[in-house]
Amino acid sequence: MDVKLTRVCEGLDFPEGPIAMDDGSIILVEIRGQRLTRVLPDGRKVVIAELGGGPNGAAVAPDGMIYVCNNGGFIWTEGDEITRPIGTPDAYVSGSIQRVDPATGAFETLYDACDGQPLRGPNDIVFDREGGFYFTDLGKTTPEYVHHGAFYYAMPDGSRITRVHAPMITPNGIGLSPDDKTVHVAETRTGRVWSYDLLAPGKIAPHPYTMPGRLLTTLPDYQLLDSLAVQANGAICVATLMRGGISIVPVDGGPVRYVAGPGDPYVTNICFGGPDMCDAWITASGTGCLYHARWPEPGLRLNFNA
């Protein structure tokens, strides 16, 4: 599928987690830069907050605050003009969920553990209609091991966090169906997209022990999955690492379509906005760029935005 990409901004320090704001700006994280940044329509960058660790995914809460999944930090390497994470630094302590005031940059940590177990590497986040949020924890990696991951449901006031489903193999992107009755999760290392039917907020329907959910697709070859956004028609747009573009996964079992990226193997995220929800913003993290495109289908309007 041919979609024209226009570069909006460069010089970002591994951008991710874009949010299309109603004023035309994009709020995103810079993972290696350890900050939350606003990109203005003319491409200028304004730092909102210096968050430390590794801010990874972001979403607007019902109160207009920005909630950030912080993975706790990475070791980084550069080569062939591409920046990428390769492991866990010695100074790493845990991951966390942070609440940021976009007007002042003030922030606090809401969660760094669930049931006494530390959060390892919170990654992506989405709010439901009730005002709670789902987030993935990808885990952390060393030369000797990779943590099992999970996805969680939590309340924005810090009062409750629940592990919804575990174990998973590097869960990354997470999103909700248009009716808010299904949660979709993409696993990085397996190249799989899973769906889970919801009985209530934070509670998934039972599934056969042979399958940890409903499998929508497994991408062939060496394609790794990152964050995702959902179209208004329910299809799932998931950033596809190594291939460097966006895979569009239908929920009815049809063929997966593909939109080529700008030549960066680390295309990590997509978000939708604009009056008709056909404006798409895509993060090319390895080269530190944000791109804009007119998308062929409207994106799903998120439950809360500003």
Side-chain angles (χ1 to χ4, degrees), residues 209-221:
Y209 74 93
T210 54
M211 289 286 282
R214 187 168 66 256
L215 181 61
L216 295 186
T217 192
T218 302
L219 295 188
D221 303 321

Side-chain angles (χ1 to χ4, degrees), residues 14-95:
F14 212 87
E16 242 268 46
I19 310 167
M21 307 300 285
D22 288 344
D23 64 2
S25 68
I26 302 296
I27 289 179
L28 48 74
V29 302
E30 296 182 69
I31 302 181
R32 193 172 77 158
Q34 303 182 326
R35 54 186 169 258
L36 186 69
T37 299
R38 187 187 298 271
V39 178
L40 302 177
D42 62 5
R44 286 181 295 138
K45 296 168 285 187
V46 178
V47 174
I48 295 173
E50 303 281 358
L51 299 176
N56 206 133
V60 179
D63 60 2
M65 299 294 104
I66 307 295
Y67 282 60
V68 174
C69 291
N70 194 310
N71 64 44
F74 288 130
I75 297 171
W76 298 90
T77 188
E78 296 181 49
D80 298 324
E81 300 182 346
I82 296 291
T83 298
R84 61 188 178 92
I86 58 170
T88 303
D90 292 339
Y92 165 81
V93 177
S94 74

Side-chain angles (χ1 to χ4, degrees), residues 3-7 82 243-246 258-268 282-287 289-291:
V3 173
K4 180 182 178 182
L5 300 179
T6 301
R7 188 168 61 195
I82 296 291
R243 194 176 183 187
I246 304 293
Y258 178 73
V259 174
D264 183 335
Y266 285 87
V267 169
T268 56
I282 294 169
T283 49
S285 300
T287 51
C289 296
L290 175 68
Y291 288 85

Side-chain angles (χ1 to χ4, degrees), residues 17-20 26-27 228-229 269-273 279-283 290 302:
I19 310 167
I26 302 296
I27 289 179
L228 63 83
N269 211 331
I270 180 172
C271 74
F272 295 106
D279 286 315
W281 285 269
I282 294 169
T283 49
L290 175 68
L302 296 175

Side-chain angles (χ1 to χ4, degrees), residues 90-206:
D90 292 339
Y92 165 81
V93 177
S94 74
S96 63
I97 302 297
Q98 297 170 308
R99 179 180 184 268
V100 186
D101 185 335
T104 67
F107 66 92
E108 62 180 323
T109 296
L110 284 184
Y111 301 103
D112 60 11
C114 177
D115 298 330
Q117 178 178 317
L119 299 178
R120 304 292 186 182
N123 191 287
D124 198 14
I125 180 172
V126 65
F127 277 86
D128 67 8
R129 294 174 186 172
E130 304 301 316
F133 61 93
Y134 295 89
F135 72 93
T136 52
D137 189 327
L138 184 136
K140 298 298 277 189
T141 300
T142 76
E144 289 79 33
Y145 65 83
V146 177
H147 283 113
H148 282 304
F151 74 92
Y152 295 79
Y153 185 75
M155 301 308 295
D157 61 1
S159 63
R160 179 168 62 91
I161 180 172
T162 303
R163 188 176 297 104
V164 179
H165 179 61
M168 298 189 75
I169 302 171
T170 57
N172 193 318
I174 192 164
L176 288 163
S177 60
D179 61 7
D180 246 33
K181 294 182 179 179
T182 304
V183 60
H184 306 299
V185 181
E187 287 182 329
T188 298
R189 291 183 179 269
T190 67
R192 292 172 179 161
V193 178
W194 298 95
S195 288
Y196 302 86
D197 295 326
L198 293 167
L199 300 176
K203 184 175 178 58
I204 58 174

